Each structure stands twice: as C-alpha cells, then as structure tokens.
Amino acid sequence: MNTDELLGKFMLDSSPVSCEPYGNGHINSTFLVQTEKGTRYILQRLSEEAFKDVPALMENISGIAQFLDAKAKAEGSPCHVLPPVKTADGMTYIQVAAEDAGDFEPGYYRVTPFAENSICLEKPESDEDFYQCAIAFGTFISELADYPAETLHETIPNFHNTPDRYRIFHETLERAKADPQLAERVEAAENEIEFVLEREESAGLLQKLRDSGELPTRVTHNDTKLNNVLLDKDTRTLLYVIDLDTVMPGLSLYDYGDCIRFGAATAAEDETDLSKVHCDLHLFEVFTRGFLESCEGLTDLEIKLLPDGARTITLELGVRFLTDWLDGDKYFAIKYPEHNLDRCRSQLALALDMEIKREEMKEIVNELSGN
Ligand code: ADP
Ligand code: GN1
Ligand code: MG
C-alpha cells in the first residue's frame, strides 16, 4: 500500500500531496499530511506494543469527542478535543494487513484534523503557558466528571496502578538476570534497581487509597505531558487536549502529577547531567494554582496528596523506563541504545528532589488551598 492508497481510505478534503514524520511522541508513529487544497491532517499508526485493542480505544475517543462536543454546544463554548476523521465506510481507523502494507508498517491507522494556529510545547516558555496547561487538564477532568465512566474501555489495563508496575518490573528483572543477552543491562542499572526497590512500599500508597475508596476514581487523561496540550498561538490559552488514547478511569493526582513531572522539571526527561534535574517550586506553585482553580470538586484528601501525586507518578515512570531498559527496549521509542536508562536515571533524580522538597510543596498547596 502506498501513501495515496492508505490516505485514500479516509475522507480527506482532497488528494494528499505530502506525508512526513511529525512530533515527539514516544508511543505512536505520527505523520503530518498535507492535501492539494492545503489542508493538514495528522496520520498515526497506533503502537501495537502499547494498545492491544485499537477498536475499543477508538470507541473511547469517539465517545469522549461526541460528549464534549454536545456539552460545548449546549453551553455555547468551544469543544477542546478533535474528533477522528472517518473512512468512506464510517470507521474511525483502518487496519493494514502485513500482506497489503507495502510502504507502511502493518497495523492500525487513524487520521485527525491538524489543529491550525496552535502551539505544542516541550517545556513552558512562561509561567502563563504552564498555568494554561493546568487549566487545560483541570478543565478536562471537570468536563468529564459526568461522563459515563462504565462505558470506557481500559485501553491499557492497570496503566497507572503503581504496585502492578512494580510487579512487572520484578518479573522483567528476573527474566533479564536469566538471559545472557540482557544480564549486562541489569549490571548497568544496579543503582537504579536498588533505588526503586527501597521505595516500593511508599510507591503503592495512592493505589491503596484508590482501592479503599478513600481517593475517588475519576475519568482522567492519564498522559498529561505538556506536548499533549495544544494552545492557541495568538491567545496562548487552551485550544485542544490531544493524545486521548489513555483516557480511562484513574486518579486526578496522577494527571496533576504527570504535568508537574514534565513541565516543572528544570531539565529534559532524558537529561544525562543529573545535577541539572530538579523540580522548580515556582512552576510547581503556578501549575498548582491553575489546577486548583479549574479542577472542580477535588476532595480535601486529593488536595492534601497533590505533592505525593507528583512524586509517585515520577517514580512510576522511572520504574517503567527501567523495566523497558531491562526488557530490551520494547515499549518506548528510543533514539540511542541507552536512552531508556538515561530517562530512568533522570526521572529517579527528579523523584528524589521531590522527596527532598515534600514539605515545601505541601506548604505551597496549603497556602493556595487555604488549608
Ligand atoms: P503519542 O501518543 O506518540 O505521544 P500524540 O497523539 O501525542 O502521539 O502525537 C504526537 C505529537 O504530534 C503531539 O505531541 C503533537 O505535537 C502532534 N499532534 C498530534 N495530534 C495533533 C493535531 N491534531 N494537531 C496538531 N498537532 C498534533
Ligand atoms: C508516553 O505517548 P506519549 O509520548 O505522550 C507514555 C506516557 C509516559 C510518557 C513519557 C501510552 O507518552 O505514559 O509518561 O511517554 N504513554 C503511554 O514521556 O505509555
Ligand atoms: Mg503524546
């Protein structure tokens, strides 16, 4: 199958003239498509390693897009998610079989309209940008508070179940130790393995509180990196929340925490000079203010545990990068051989800095929430 044939299955406004790799996502393969009329679209091949049931995932996204569109129309406000582009037979994706793949990799593909006049940030360029990202994800949770959560498919089972992430880590570690091809990876990660093992018990606290019902399960985004928000180029306010593949029932604390992890860090997610990796408490405050203002109905316990949300999701991601490193790099796209180990080290350094700053973070939260 060539580009024209693949894109020809979707109802684009005219014939495609270009299709180029695009963006910095770690999971899906993303391409920017332009048509004869100059209209742009995003084409994505969904990761098979991450998503085992793409039809269910696309059902989630269509359901959310319709729900938020109806809500926006009823309230006369803009809708903050983009609906998938349909195929000629009304589907939201196509499946390309190995024997037809040709220029493309086999798998599931979907098309989304490209959000024109938008910006996508890898780090906040100003306090206001970061505040607007807090508004974006806080608003997203609030808008979905009355979404029928029981209709959502769990696209990655136990995605942010931290004890389950540890279970997979332990299994992978044992397998790696027994595999001559992976054993040297265990040796290279000795310190990181020790670091995460020391924290296993505390890492499970939030999931325990979720299981006991003390923390409410909400419809959450579950992948709240800054580059999963598109801001309006002119007003630099929320335009779209994207990357809805992991919208599932979850904890608000992890949505809050993941954005702090990525956006309030003083260095990139894969920084190798660990002396540069810290959590910027000013940005922490800016984001927390926006989140508290926009995410309605947070309970006292959720508010109190916000700093733990940031630390736990950072540690969890460190465990996930470590697991993928020990597993031979099957899940996250990497740019060089040690990439997952470097990412792991940087996330663990950030989690440690958050542990050191826990009391200061708590004071900031108390002050902002009036507790
Ligand atoms: P991944 O799951 O791999 O992170 P995303 O859906 O987040 O995939 O897409 C990767 C990147 O592509 C985004 O960070 C963003 O820069 C860009 N992108 C995705 N969808 C759109 C869109 N509809 N309009 C503009 N840019 C987009
Ligand atoms: C992945 O898809 P992307 O690049 O937005 C991952 C997140 C991680 C993140 C780390 C489905 O996000 O959970 O936090 O990388 N998404 C999935 O950068 O696993
Ligand atoms: Mg993304």
Side-chain angles (χ1 to χ4, degrees):
M1 190 174 282
N2 61 31
T3 311
D4 282 357
E5 286 164 341
L6 187 140
L7 287 164
K9 309 253 182 217
F10 292 91
M11 308 274 277
L12 307 188
D13 72 341
S14 52
S15 302
V17 291
S18 63
C19 177
E20 302 294 336
Y22 189 77
N24 288 318
H26 294 347
I27 303 297
N28 298 320
S29 305
T30 300
F31 304 87
L32 176 62
V33 172
Q34 186 146 359
T35 66
E36 265 172 4
K37 288 193 177 163
T39 307
R40 300 198 287 176
Y41 296 90
I42 289 287
L43 167 70
Q44 286 178 311
R45 177 183 178 276
L46 279 292
S47 160
E48 275 167 358
E49 189 62 33
F51 304 113
K52 307 295 180 204
D53 188 351
V54 172
L57 176 155
M58 292 307 295
E59 203 177 298
N60 279 0
I61 294 183
S62 298
I64 286 159
Q66 277 163 24
F67 178 87
L68 292 182
D69 183 53
K71 198 167 235 193
K73 282 194 178 118
E75 292 164 13
S77 54
C79 177
H80 297 299
V81 300
L82 288 155
V85 173
K86 297 261 173 82
T87 67
D89 22 349
M91 303 290 284
T92 54
Y93 58 88
I94 60 164
Q95 188 177 15
V96 177
E99 59 272 25
D100 306 327
D103 298 350
F104 286 87
E105 273 199 58
Y108 286 96
Y109 286 80
R110 68 166 173 225
V111 172
T112 315
F114 184 85
E116 296 297 346
N117 207 44
S118 67
I119 48 165
C120 177
L121 298 170
E122 292 301 320
K123 62 179 192 149
E125 288 171 7
S126 66
D127 289 359
E128 184 60 20
D129 284 348
F130 200 34
Y131 173 82
Q132 290 299 335
C133 287
I135 300 288
F137 288 122
T139 304
F140 187 78
I141 295 178
S142 290
E143 282 181 341
L144 291 175
D146 53 346
Y147 191 81
E150 67 287 355
T151 64
L152 282 172
H153 305 282
E154 210 178 349
T155 55
I156 302 180
N158 291 313
F159 187 50
H160 288 317
N161 180 333
T162 311
D164 199 61
R165 290 291 178 184
Y166 265 86
R167 180 188 63 75
I168 298 168
F169 159 70
H170 281 291
E171 276 178 19
T172 310
L173 177 59
E174 290 317 307
R175 219 174 338 108
K177 279 182 182 165
D179 182 337
Q181 294 206 314
L182 296 173
E184 63 183 28
R185 289 182 176 240
V186 178
E187 223 170 279
E190 222 170 82
N191 294 340
E192 291 69 30
I193 292 169
E194 194 186 325
F195 183 99
V196 303
L197 287 177
E198 276 169 2
R199 286 157 174 78
E200 182 160 4
E201 200 184 329
S202 63
L205 176 73
L206 299 183
Q207 180 65 36
K208 241 191 214 165
L209 292 170
R210 181 178 170 191
D211 291 340
S212 67
E214 286 163 89
L215 280 174
T217 294
R218 303 178 183 275
V219 175
T220 48
H221 183 284
N222 295 305
D223 190 358
T224 54
K225 278 202 300 202
L226 221 52
N227 63 11
N228 287 332
V229 171
L230 302 178
L231 297 180
D232 184 301
K233 207 183 232 162
D234 302 320
T235 63
R236 289 183 97 100
T237 56
L238 169 60
L239 192 56
Y240 295 112
V241 171
I242 59 168
D243 204 347
L244 305 178
D245 304 334
T246 51
V247 175
M248 288 179 274
L251 289 177
S252 63
L253 294 176
Y254 281 180
D255 271 11
Y256 162 86
D258 205 27
C259 212
I260 294 281
R261 173 191 74 74
F262 194 78
T266 51
E269 188 176 87
D270 55 1
E271 175 61 57
T272 52
D273 179 352
L274 300 184
S275 69
K276 291 188 182 154
V277 181
H278 299 285
C279 177
D280 179 323
L281 287 183
H282 174 67
L283 286 174
F284 175 86
E285 178 179 350
V286 166
F287 188 87
T288 304
R289 181 180 309 116
F291 197 77
L292 287 172
E293 278 171 21
S294 58
C295 192
E296 289 162 16
L298 289 175
T299 66
D300 288 347
L301 187 62
E302 281 175 299
I303 295 173
K304 185 174 155 217
L305 291 175
L306 287 173
D308 299 285
R311 179 263 186 179
T312 308
I313 193 83
T314 307
L315 178 58
E316 183 193 279
L317 186 60
V319 172
R320 292 174 63 200
F321 283 143
L322 179 58
T323 304
D324 203 30
W325 162 253
L326 295 173
D327 202 23
D329 308 313
K330 297 208 179 90
Y331 186 87
F332 293 102
I334 51 165
K335 293 194 173 134
Y336 58 92
E338 307 233 309
H339 205 170
N340 272 322
L341 184 58
D342 286 344
R343 286 167 170 158
C344 159
R345 289 183 170 144
S346 160
Q347 294 311 293
L348 298 186
L350 184 59
L352 179 63
D353 191 56
M354 289 174 176
E355 288 173 11
I356 294 166
K357 292 178 174 156
R358 185 161 183 255
E359 287 312 310
E360 285 170 274
M361 288 161 111
K362 280 187 167 297
E363 268 170 39
I364 293 171
V365 171
N366 286 347
E367 220 153 274
L368 289 172
S369 61
N371 285 332

